[in-house]
Amino acid sequence: MNLEFHYYATTALALRAGYSADDAHRIGRSAEHVDQALDAYLIEDSEAGTGEDARTEQTQNYVFWDEKVFRDIYLPFHFIPGDEAKARKERVDGESNPWIVTPDSPIAREILIAALRSGNPYRIGIALHAYADTWAHQNFTGRTERINEVKPGSPLPAAGHLQALTSPDQATELWEDPRLFKPEVDNRDRFLAAARMIYRYLRTALRRDFEDEVLVVGELAEMWERRDLDDRAREYDFTIRYDIEPWNPQFWLIEAGISTNLDSPVRQRGYNKLKWLGGELARRSGQAESLRRVWTDGRFDNSSLKAWSQAAREHRKEALGLIDARLGKSDVRIEG
C-alpha cells in the first residue's frame, strides 16, 4: 500500500476509533515511515554513543537479491508469511510456498495484537503497516522466485510484486493477476477489507465496540469510489474531512535535527519506487544498507524518530520470533 493508505487512511481510522489527535498522527506517521526509511542514520552526538539507540532503523530497501534485506526488512515489515493452503487454492498452478502472503494471516494478527498491547503508538503504526500489507501483497513473497511471476518473459525479476509494478499498492487500481482463478483485482475491495479489520482491532484495543464500523468504512468507500481523482486530490479530501495534517516527509527529520539537504528519497513527498530502484542498483553495487553519519545538535535523543526506531527494533524482534517459531529460521534462496 502507498502513502494514501498507510498515512492518511490509517490516521483517519485511528481518529475514528477514538485515539487522540496526537496519537492518531503518531500512528499514521509511524505506518508510513516504514516505507520512507530507506536510509539508516548513525547519530554522532547521541548520548547513546554508537549503540543501537544512536541509530535510526532502515525498514525499506529494494536490493532484493540481498539475503539480509529479505530477513530484516521484507519479512517483518512488508511480506509477513500467511496461510499457505489458502493461497494454494486461489492459484491456477496450485503451487505451494511457506513464505507467501495472505490477508489477515495468523502471524500478522499476533504481531499486531502484541503492538496494541504495548500501547506504544509508534509500534502500533509499524505493526499496522505490516498488517495492511498482507492485503496489498497477498499472493506474493518477499523473495525473488517464480511464484511471484506475473508477466512471464518480463525483463524485471520476479521479486515481490515488482513485475506488477505499483498496481497492488494503489487504492483505486483495477489490475489483473493471471496467477489466480479470479484474475481481475479491484484494490478497493482489498483496501476496504483491510480498513475494516484495522478499525475493529483499534476499537477493541480501546475497549470499545465497533458497531459503527459500516459508517466508518463507508466513508473510505465513498472516497475510493471516485476513480477520476488522483492521489493528491484524495489526500486533500482526507485532510479536510478528517482534519489530518498534510504529509510532510521531513517532519520527523527536522524535529530530530537531521539535515534536510541530504540527497535521499526520504526527502520526497512520495518517492517513485521504480525511479529510486534504478538509481539504487547503480549506487549500491550490491551493498544492502546505507548508513549515514549525522550531527543533530542534541535533538535526536528526545525525538519522535528515536522513539520510532526503538519501536521498529521491537517490531522486528517480535515478528521474526513469531515467524521463526512457525516456519523455522528463513533459509533464504535467491533464484536467478
Side-chain angles (χ1 to χ4, degrees):
M1 292 179 175
N2 62 5
L3 171 71
E4 182 176 353
F5 191 96
H6 286 314
Y7 176 62
Y8 286 100
T10 300
T11 304
L13 289 166
L15 287 167
R16 290 292 189 257
Y19 285 86
S20 69
D22 286 343
D23 276 349
H25 280 86
R26 289 188 186 101
I27 288 169
R29 287 194 185 101
S30 294
E32 172 58 20
H33 197 69
V34 172
D35 274 345
Q36 297 283 332
L38 293 156
D39 296 297
Y41 297 96
L42 176 62
I43 314 302
E44 296 278 19
D45 57 328
S46 172
E47 294 177 358
T50 58
E52 67 176 17
D53 284 339
R55 293 181 53 159
T56 68
E57 286 298 310
Q58 183 182 26
T59 54
Q60 182 59 288
N61 194 307
Y62 296 101
V63 183
F64 48 80
W65 58 83
D66 189 279
E67 297 182 1
K68 191 174 186 297
V69 170
F70 170 71
R71 172 74 180 175
D72 291 347
I73 294 179
Y74 292 169
L75 267 183
F77 295 104
H78 305 280
F79 291 89
I80 296 176
D83 185 336
E84 184 179 358
K86 178 182 177 181
R88 186 188 308 118
K89 292 177 182 178
E90 296 181 359
R91 294 179 61 92
V92 174
D93 59 18
E95 285 197 22
S96 174
N97 189 299
W99 308 106
I100 202 160
V101 177
T102 57
D104 189 33
S105 61
I107 296 176
R109 288 199 302 267
E110 287 188 57
I111 294 168
L112 178 56
I113 289 169
L116 291 167
R117 286 175 175 166
S118 77
N120 182 336
Y122 300 99
R123 187 168 166 187
I124 291 170
I126 294 167
L128 285 176
H129 180 112
Y131 183 67
D133 271 357
T134 66
W135 273 272
H137 297 169
Q138 60 185 278
N139 302 307
F140 293 99
T141 76
R143 288 178 162 175
T144 303
E145 51 191 343
R146 192 181 70 254
I147 202 164
N148 295 323
E149 191 174 85
V150 175
K151 298 179 179 179
S154 169
L156 296 173
H161 63 75
L162 183 58
Q163 288 190 355
L165 304 179
T166 60
S167 290
D169 290 330
Q170 308 293 327
T172 61
E173 187 86 359
L174 288 169
W175 60 289
E176 289 195 1
D177 187 341
R179 302 169 304 160
L180 307 181
F181 285 114
K182 297 180 179 180
E184 298 82 12
V185 178
D186 186 340
N187 280 354
R188 293 179 306 180
D189 296 335
R190 293 181 173 184
F191 281 41
L192 289 172
R196 184 175 297 109
M197 290 304 299
I198 286 172
Y199 185 67
R200 291 180 183 181
Y201 273 110
L202 293 176
R203 291 288 287 181
T204 301
L206 293 176
R207 305 293 192 271
R208 302 175 185 178
D209 64 51
F210 41 86
E211 292 180 353
D212 61 348
E213 168 194 309
V214 173
L215 297 176
V216 173
V217 177
E219 285 184 290
L220 295 175
E222 180 183 335
M223 296 176 68
W224 289 332
E225 188 68 28
R226 295 284 306 277
R227 294 190 194 275
D228 58 315
L229 297 180
D230 60 19
D231 291 352
R232 180 63 71 90
R234 285 196 301 274
E235 289 170 19
Y236 289 147
D237 200 353
F238 272 106
T239 298
I240 296 168
R241 183 183 300 230
Y242 297 96
D243 194 23
I244 295 174
E245 297 174 11
W247 171 253
N248 179 355
Q250 299 185 32
F251 186 83
W252 277 354
L253 295 170
I254 293 172
E255 179 199 61
I258 295 175
S259 175
T260 59
N261 61 8
L262 294 171
D263 179 21
S264 168
V266 81
R267 305 294 155 256
Q268 303 171 14
R269 167 188 161 274
Y271 62 90
N272 182 315
K273 294 182 179 181
L274 298 180
K275 181 179 179 182
W276 185 87
L277 174 59
E280 194 68 357
L281 298 183
R283 184 170 75 85
R284 296 198 179 184
S285 300
Q287 295 182 2
E289 184 177 39
S290 174
L291 182 61
R292 301 181 178 215
R293 297 174 179 270
V294 295
W295 288 81
T296 68
D297 295 326
R299 292 162 60 183
F300 173 75
D301 286 324
N302 295 311
S303 69
S304 294
L305 185 58
K306 180 176 181 179
W308 179 89
S309 293
Q310 291 171 331
R313 286 190 287 272
E314 293 169 4
H315 172 93
R316 180 184 286 117
K317 181 179 179 181
E318 178 76 25
L320 292 180
L322 288 169
I323 292 169
D324 289 348
R326 294 287 184 90
L327 302 176
K329 189 168 183 179
S330 57
D331 55 336
V332 182
R333 61 183 185 279
I334 306 297
E335 295 183 0

